[in-house]
Amino acid sequence: MNLMYHSTRNSSLKATASQAILQGLASDGGLYVPEAIPQMTTPIAELARMNYLELAYEVLRLYLTDYSEEEIKGCINKAYDDKFDTPDIAPLKKVGGLHYLELFHGATIAFKDMALSILPHLLTTAARKNNISDEIVILTATSGDTGKAALAGFADVEGTKIIVFYPKDGVSNVQEKQMVTQKGDNTYVIGIRGNFDDAQTGVKKIFGDRDLEKRMSEAGYRFSSANSINIGRLLPQIIYYIYSYLELYRRNEILAEEKINFVVPTGNFGNILAAYYAKQMGLPIEKLICASNDNKVLFDFFKTGVYDRNREFILTISPSMDILISSNLERLIYHIADEDSDKTMELMTALSTTGRYEITSDMRKKLDGFVGGYATVDETMTAIHKVYIETGYVMDTHTAVAASVYAKYLDREKDSAKAIIVSTASPYKFAESVLNAVGIKELPEDDYEQALILREISGIQIPGAMEEIHLADIKHDTVCETDRMRAKVEDILKII
Ligand SMILES: *Cc1c(COP(=O)(O)O)cnc(C)c1O
């Protein structure tokens, strides 16, 4: 029996796993969710004997039921190879009594690589399975890290083109340089005069444009998404939650079935939603601590049950979390509404018309496994400084938001459960802010020279991703207004 997926906004809009991955967004604007979250039946002790790739198969086979074993394993092998700088793929570091799950050992040194190294393979396999001969056009909005990880994943993949929109003034130097130096004849990178939410809204609008879809189809193109609205992004992220739990078990830090907490630096709610899925599958998780920066919409939501994006957008030192519309929250809303797609539709319509919605008290009760927290820019800097002084470990700014939120949580609550702090980027990606935080204020302009200083103080090798952009040529320099995004896509694809 195939596990089917349907839209959060209409339960009768169904798709197989491969169809859902191909489409990205459901045709009614909803997000695909599995009809039922599969249960993990293999005992912990047995799972603990698996390496990352074997565990990946164990998880993905439960969700990708219309893919063959050979297809899934083929995708896994192509994804988690020596693009990662360690065979552990997702190493768990114990520092000062805390555990950091380092998800930045892939090609672009941020956690988006965990899913975006496999998505192109899941997608091209899906196209083959469904006899799709159209060229697939990946349309992506990025707050900085998705863009590069998707470009790296799709560059020169036959039968695909990738178009990335990023906020021109809303990403770090290294993030921008990584994107605009991207090679590959099928890659397009465009800066927009707006913030991430503008880019995301623009992309969703293009996806929903039925007239454009028709003209695309006549020209032999179809859109898909590499954003975390694509279920193919979410599923591979479940793997490392289970993997890191097993790692604690293997190190005798916990007993089998002992509950632990995860602290997740959150923006679009994709990463932490994968943790929620892991929990629903049976992984012993007590609390999911959702860490926001100054854009604390989610903190307020967990506190009040009201989601309200009508507020000032704040640029912080953790730009990948500068988000006011957390797209993936829609999937959680659907689950806590007892899978009621009409209710989800109602709330999402309110969000797009008024920028606000309120959940019912029954729904709020189902959020008790979540704890919301946030850290200001000052608190984030302090966390980096403190951990560096005490342990010598250098965190990136996003990870530091999580570390700060967790420290505040422990001050407030008695909780003896072991915790894993999800580390989403290499400090090299945000070197300037990180160096400022540890107290080095006079910095050279050049990213590479900053990287040399960071190497000096951290003792960590400069990642290949940094060496790569050091002397690379700029290949993309287009910038446009947000209302020109569709026109840019039409230009690139030469459709009239
Ligand atoms: C994308 C990103 C986040 C936020 O993850 P979401 O899935 O959007 O919640 C956090 N940190 C870094 C470094 C990121 O790139």
Side-chain angles (χ1 to χ4, degrees):
M1 266 285 285
N2 268 339
L3 173 65
M4 296 299 287
Y5 291 75
H6 54 233
S7 165
T8 46
R9 301 187 190 181
N10 176 359
S11 309
S12 51
L13 204 60
K14 290 185 200 285
T16 60
S18 66
Q19 288 163 349
I21 288 172
L22 262 175
Q23 287 176 39
L25 199 63
S27 59
D28 62 349
L31 276 58
Y32 280 112
V33 279
E35 228 162 22
I37 296 180
Q39 296 302 299
M40 255 188 332
T41 48
T42 315
I44 300 276
E46 193 174 321
L47 292 173
R49 286 196 287 273
M50 298 181 182
N51 66 22
Y52 196 90
L53 281 77
E54 290 161 341
L55 183 70
Y57 176 69
E58 195 60 25
V59 175
L60 294 181
R61 72 178 177 87
L62 300 173
Y63 285 96
L64 305 175
T65 56
D66 71 324
Y67 286 67
S68 69
E69 174 173 349
E70 198 188 345
E71 285 169 337
I72 299 176
K73 288 188 171 165
C75 292
I76 291 171
N77 289 331
K78 281 182 226 155
Y80 304 114
D81 58 9
D82 57 14
K83 289 191 285 303
F84 286 78
D85 66 11
T86 157
D88 290 347
I89 308 296
L92 188 67
K93 290 260 165 76
K94 187 175 184 181
V95 182
L98 280 177
H99 289 90
Y100 295 85
L101 174 58
E102 294 189 347
L103 300 179
F104 52 78
H105 289 269
T108 75
I109 57 177
F111 100 95
K112 306 293 196 293
D113 288 325
M114 301 305 296
L116 282 164
S117 343
I118 192 166
L119 183 68
H121 305 295
L122 294 175
L123 204 92
T124 46
T125 307
R128 222 176 305 125
K129 298 176 72 66
N130 289 276
N131 300 315
I132 304 290
S133 54
D134 289 346
E135 188 160 12
I136 298 168
V137 180
I138 303 295
L139 209 56
T140 290
T142 184
S143 56
D145 291 329
T146 292
K148 178 60 189 188
L151 287 162
F154 282 97
D156 292 325
V157 170
E158 215 173 300
T160 70
K161 281 195 193 336
I162 170 159
I163 307 174
V164 169
F165 291 99
Y166 73 97
K168 178 70 188 148
D169 299 317
V171 300
S172 82
N173 281 344
V174 172
Q175 285 178 320
E176 180 167 39
K177 208 157 171 193
Q178 279 188 315
M179 288 190 280
V180 299
T181 56
Q182 177 65 47
K183 295 182 188 135
D185 290 340
N186 66 337
T187 64
Y188 304 86
V189 179
I190 299 163
I192 63 149
R193 304 232 176 265
N195 61 36
F196 170 70
D197 288 322
D198 299 325
Q200 178 160 259
T201 304
V203 162
K204 277 193 182 169
K205 236 187 237 160
I206 299 173
F207 276 130
D209 187 330
R210 291 297 153 245
D211 166 60
L212 177 63
E213 181 181 70
K214 191 162 150 277
R215 286 181 290 135
M216 292 265 298
S217 164
E218 284 160 9
Y221 291 121
R222 59 152 63 209
F223 282 131
S224 188
S225 168
N227 278 102
S228 53
I229 51 176
N230 193 321
I231 191 79
R233 265 286 294 281
L234 195 67
L235 303 177
Q237 295 179 176
I238 298 171
I239 303 161
Y240 50 76
Y241 286 100
I242 303 176
Y243 181 77
S244 57
Y245 181 93
L246 295 170
E247 193 60 24
L248 282 184
Y249 170 75
R250 281 190 283 261
R251 296 181 192 175
N252 293 317
E253 294 270 359
I254 54 169
L255 301 169
E257 307 303 336
E258 183 174 332
K259 288 191 174 174
I260 67 166
N261 298 332
F262 281 99
V263 194
V264 188
T266 300
N268 223 354
F269 209 76
N271 203 356
I272 195 166
L273 187 75
Y276 173 80
Y277 272 58
K279 184 176 181 182
Q280 299 311 109
M281 290 172 76
L283 190 71
I285 296 177
E286 183 69 46
K287 289 280 189 268
L288 291 173
I289 302 173
C290 176
S292 300
N293 64 23
D294 284 302
N295 296 290
K296 59 184 185 60
V297 202
L298 289 166
F299 169 79
D300 294 340
F301 170 72
F302 286 116
K303 201 169 101 182
T304 64
V306 175
Y307 192 92
D308 190 353
R309 62 150 303 191
N310 300 305
R311 62 180 76 202
E312 198 193 335
F313 183 93
I314 302 170
L315 289 175
T316 72
I317 56 169
S318 44
S320 304
M321 295 157 62
D322 289 345
I323 290 173
L324 292 178
I325 308 174
S326 302
S327 286
N328 263 294
L329 191 64
E330 175 166 348
R331 288 192 168 106
L332 181 69
I333 294 294
Y334 169 84
H335 291 297
I336 61 172
D338 286 330
E339 339 251 278
D340 180 343
S341 55
D342 292 338
K343 182 69 190 171
T344 311
M345 179 65 155
E346 175 198 316
L347 297 178
M348 293 306 129
T349 305
L351 179 64
S352 67
T353 51
T354 67
R356 179 184 187 280
Y357 63 81
E358 178 163 13
I359 60 172
T360 65
S361 57
D362 277 348
M363 288 168 75
R364 279 191 77 177
K365 285 194 198 108
K366 301 216 179 84
L367 292 179
D368 65 356
F370 285 93
V371 178
Y374 76 99
T376 62
V377 167
D378 278 350
E379 288 171 327
T380 308
M381 303 268 280
T382 305
I384 294 173
H385 187 253
K386 186 161 183 283
V387 170
Y388 176 65
I389 295 296
E390 287 172 1
T391 68
Y393 186 65
V394 182
M395 293 185 285
D396 103 285
T397 49
H398 302 76
T399 308
V401 168
S404 170
V405 164
Y406 184 59
K408 288 197 280 181
Y409 170 76
L410 284 186
D411 280 345
R412 211 170 56 228
E413 313 272 333
K414 270 210 203 72
D415 189 341
S416 57
K418 285 257 157 55
I420 290 179
I421 296 185
V422 176
S423 305
T424 49
S426 158
Y428 279 100
K429 207 154 186 178
F430 304 94
E432 186 169 4
S433 305
V434 168
L435 288 168
N436 280 330
V438 301
I440 305 171
K441 305 287 177 198
E442 300 275 307
L443 286 176
E445 280 271 318
D446 183 68
D447 328 303
Y448 196 76
E449 284 173 39
Q450 292 173 4
L452 292 173
I453 302 175
L454 187 54
R455 182 175 66 184
E456 196 71 21
I457 66 142
S458 68
I460 319 168
Q461 254 196 339
I462 297 182
M466 288 298 301
E467 303 284 3
E468 213 174 89
I469 58 170
H470 177 31
L471 297 170
D473 294 332
I474 292 181
K475 304 224 178 271
H476 309 269
D477 59 2
T478 310
V479 178
C480 77
E481 303 297 324
T482 41
D483 60 1
R484 298 278 304 156
M485 288 170 61
R486 192 186 70 186
K488 282 287 166 210
V489 171
E490 290 169 342
D491 275 357
I492 289 168
L493 302 176
K494 302 190 178 63
I495 32 182
I496 19 153

